[in-house]
Amino acid sequence: MTETRPDLLSFPPSVVLVEPQLGENIGTACRAMANFGLADLRLVSPRDGWPNERATAAASRADHVLNAVQVFDSFETALSDFNYVLATTARARDFAKPVLGPEEAVAEILARTARGEKIGILFGRERVGLHNEEIAVADAILTYPIDPRFASLNIAQAVLLIAYEWRRQASNAAIPFTGVDGGPPATKDALTGLFEHLEHALEDADYFKSDSFRPVMVRTLRNMFTKASLTHQDVQILRGVIAALEGRPTRPRRPRGPARTPKAHPADDTPGDSGGA
């Protein structure tokens, strides 16, 4: 019998569903999570609201997952306390990010869990998956070795695949050692504060020459800083640098609003990319 590793099994990754449409998909995702020991499910703006009777019926008594569901108005808020985020997609995206299969992704998850990091796995909408703006703030892309002739996965299927691989490896994973500790990685909330600070400073400097130029550059800058795997201290230093360039000692975060959030463009998404992959 395989000896379990409770130190890893006790800290599973969280699952985040962005704008799920069908309650049945949420419920079956709960069931898949419960099968393999995942318990933290976060919903971003579910179309039919929450709680959802169809989700309850489809969860098939995965009550401990269902009853603990958290609902958020924005994906940034849902990700705010994570140190590392994986974004699932079945389509190649124009980002210079690590692209991991399930085995490699879980190996990374377990190594980071052993260092005390909090992990989130992001799944998109049933029809179009994740928008590029959402993938831009993830640390890596998760994809599955599925048949390209039929690449669309149901959300619960996609959740189940990574949940299974997580439990398989966490049950007998051996983490030999860790590298030099450079400090805890920045949370997504801290990164969002840095992004907003930089973007406001660039606006004040008239860097964004047109409304059409701004969303593209904001997305590129956010992706670039996310790739850097900044620590909490890195973020504090960078914000100090920006404040110095602004000629002020500090710069509080301004309230978020629709005007400050990069908008998705129809050309960024194509039908057929399911929420899972």
Side-chain angles (χ1 to χ4, degrees):
M1 185 175 183
T2 303
E3 182 182 356
T4 60
R5 292 283 304 274
D7 52 327
L8 295 178
L9 288 173
S10 298
F11 299 96
S14 302
V15 171
V16 182
L17 306 184
V18 178
E19 297 182 359
Q21 296 176 339
L22 301 177
E24 292 88 344
N25 286 336
I26 300 172
T28 50
C30 287
R31 182 176 181 178
M33 291 173 62
N35 287 150
F36 296 102
L38 277 60
D40 182 21
L41 176 61
R42 306 180 182 195
L43 308 179
V44 178
S45 301
R47 184 190 66 181
D48 296 334
W50 192 262
N52 184 295
E53 291 183 0
R54 293 185 175 182
T56 302
S60 189
R61 299 187 299 280
D63 295 336
H64 65 290
V65 179
L66 196 72
N67 294 337
V69 166
Q70 301 176 70
V71 181
F72 298 85
D73 293 330
S74 69
F75 82 96
E76 294 97 341
T77 307
L79 303 184
S80 65
D81 59 333
F82 296 137
N83 303 110
Y84 184 78
V85 172
L86 287 157
T88 58
T89 180
R91 293 185 285 122
R93 306 295 183 108
D94 189 22
F95 290 122
K97 287 184 182 293
V99 178
L100 308 176
E103 289 190 18
E104 298 86 356
V106 170
E108 185 71 20
I109 288 171
L110 294 177
R112 289 176 175 273
T113 300
R115 297 198 294 266
E117 297 182 27
K118 193 166 185 177
I119 313 298
I121 308 175
L122 194 59
F123 298 85
R125 304 151 185 85
E126 285 90 334
R127 190 178 69 86
V128 298
L130 293 169
H131 292 159
N132 284 342
E133 287 76 12
E134 293 152 355
I135 293 179
V137 299
D139 299 281
I141 289 172
L142 167 64
T143 195
Y144 301 129
I146 52 182
D147 190 332
R149 295 172 297 179
F150 194 70
S152 180
L153 282 177
N154 175 272
I155 290 176
Q157 292 174 322
V159 171
L160 185 142
L161 285 173
I162 195 64
Y164 162 79
E165 183 61 29
W166 172 81
R167 188 160 190 91
R168 184 184 72 82
Q169 291 192 40
S171 294
N172 54 63
I175 307 298
F177 59 86
T178 60
V180 177
D181 187 5
T187 65
K188 296 303 176 186
D189 189 51
L191 286 174
T192 298
L194 170 64
F195 297 154
E196 292 175 346
H197 189 170
L198 175 61
E199 289 153 19
H200 289 311
L202 290 173
E203 283 181 345
D204 292 342
D206 197 28
Y207 176 76
F208 302 118
K209 301 300 182 182
S210 67
D211 291 340
S212 61
F213 178 72
R214 187 185 191 281
V216 175
M217 287 308 302
V218 164
R219 189 170 67 198
T220 300
L221 288 168
R222 290 189 175 200
N223 183 56
M224 183 168 57
F225 279 107
T226 301
K227 283 193 303 178
S229 300
L230 300 175
T231 66
H232 178 74
Q233 185 177 9
D234 292 335
V235 169
Q236 295 303 311
I237 291 172
L238 286 171
R239 294 200 66 169
V241 169
I242 298 168
L245 293 174
E246 292 175 312
R248 65 187 75 203
T250 60
R251 179 69 175 266
R253 180 188 296 183
R254 299 180 185 179
R256 296 179 191 165
R260 298 295 186 189
T261 302
K263 297 181 179 179
H265 297 277
D268 289 340
D269 300 288
T270 56
D273 186 18
S274 76

